[in-house]
Amino acid sequence: MYVIGLTGGIGSGKSTVGEHFKQRGIDVIDADIAARRVVEKGTPALTNIANHFGIESLNGDGTLNRAYLRSRVFDNSEERQWLESLLHPLIHQWVKRALCSASSPYAILETPLLLETDQHNLTNRILVVDLPEELQIARAVDRDNNNIEQIRSIMNVQISRKERLSKADDILDNSGPLSYLSIAVSDLHHKYLKLAAEQESKDL
Ligand code: ADP
């Protein structure tokens, strides 16, 4: 399967771009969904988390108490690392399985952590959704009703814009209107169909 890694900072437009690819019949695997699935009620990872962080990390109904967990790892890099070393391999495996069952001419892996984790090893090409930071913050604040500080603190743990752009094979400038985004996705879609077909003929 020819896989495009779709990434960008919070509020850059990954989900919006992912939707546009879906509308063109492309299977989009969402790493945020993987991150939720691997800690669903009854999973070994959730038991592990409860053993490590205590019973407060579970809600009354046995699901993960995300707010509590966030508060435990927010300012504690050791605990964050513990959690990441538990979850990242599980997310990686979940994504890998989902990509294996994709059936469109190519697949998209939509993930905020493509470049921060080894998820990029699952991809053939990297597409970065980009926009100036001020616009990124404004859109993220608008969407989540979060304050600027919360968005900035999330941005601070993500790779910098400059570094992200330096790893991109393709850059989608999402500072324009949605009509422009649609045209840009169409262009990329045709390019990826061609690249996937070339890859397939090489593999034969
Ligand atoms: P991400 O998944 O990268 O966090 P989203 O796709 O959710 O970002 O986009 C963030 C917000 O910006 C959403 O409310 C979305 O509707 C809006 N948005 C995305 N692209 C555009 C655009 N080109 N013009 C205006 N608003 C946009």
Side-chain angles (χ1 to χ4, degrees):
M1 174 57 72
Y2 194 77
V3 180
I4 310 295
L6 165 61
T7 195
I10 179 170
S12 60
K14 294 179 294 298
S15 311
T16 312
V17 171
E19 275 307 315
H20 277 75
F21 278 105
K22 271 187 214 163
Q23 285 164 14
R24 286 159 179 81
I26 297 306
D27 290 333
V28 177
I29 312 304
D30 182 345
D32 281 340
I33 292 180
R36 287 198 290 273
R37 292 273 191 276
V38 299
V39 289
E40 270 176 352
K41 191 173 166 179
T43 53
L46 189 55
T47 307
N48 231 320
I49 289 170
N51 287 338
H52 184 84
F53 289 101
I55 199 70
E56 300 97 315
S57 52
L58 299 181
N59 293 312
D61 63 359
T63 56
L64 178 64
N65 184 339
R66 287 171 194 283
Y68 177 78
L69 192 61
R70 260 199 307 275
S71 73
R72 289 291 302 271
V73 301
F74 180 68
D75 248 353
N76 188 326
S77 60
E78 222 171 280
E79 294 289 38
R80 179 183 286 274
Q81 256 172 25
W82 183 90
L83 189 64
E84 286 178 351
S85 64
L86 171 72
L87 298 183
H88 286 173
L90 296 172
I91 295 168
H92 190 97
Q93 285 311 314
W94 192 99
V95 163
K96 200 170 167 181
R97 273 199 305 276
L99 287 171
C100 280
S101 50
S103 57
S104 49
Y106 65 92
I108 299 269
L109 167 57
E110 178 193 326
T111 169
L113 298 178
L114 184 70
L115 304 168
E116 289 87 342
T117 65
D118 60 0
Q119 285 174 15
H120 56 90
N121 292 334
L122 297 169
T123 67
N124 299 85
R125 207 173 166 85
I126 292 171
L127 167 60
V128 168
V129 188
D130 179 61
L131 73 177
E133 279 175 5
E134 290 317 308
L135 190 52
Q136 177 188 356
I137 292 169
R139 284 186 186 165
V141 167
D142 248 22
R143 184 195 56 190
D144 301 340
N145 278 326
N146 264 337
N147 60 41
I148 292 185
E149 280 65 43
Q150 279 167 312
I151 300 297
R152 280 200 195 279
S153 72
I154 294 171
M155 284 168 74
N156 284 343
V157 297
Q158 296 183 331
I159 195 174
S160 72
R161 181 183 182 199
K162 191 170 165 216
E163 202 176 341
R164 190 184 289 119
L165 287 174
S166 75
K167 309 250 162 112
D169 295 299
D170 303 301
I171 297 170
L172 200 167
D173 173 3
N174 190 23
S175 58
L178 287 167
S179 53
Y180 171 80
L181 181 74
S182 181
I183 295 168
V185 171
S186 278
D187 289 349
L188 287 167
H189 176 58
H190 288 112
K191 176 173 174 174
Y192 296 155
L193 284 173
K194 213 166 147 229
L195 287 170
E198 279 168 17
Q199 175 76 39
E200 200 179 345
S201 65
K202 266 192 227 152
D203 290 347
L204 288 178

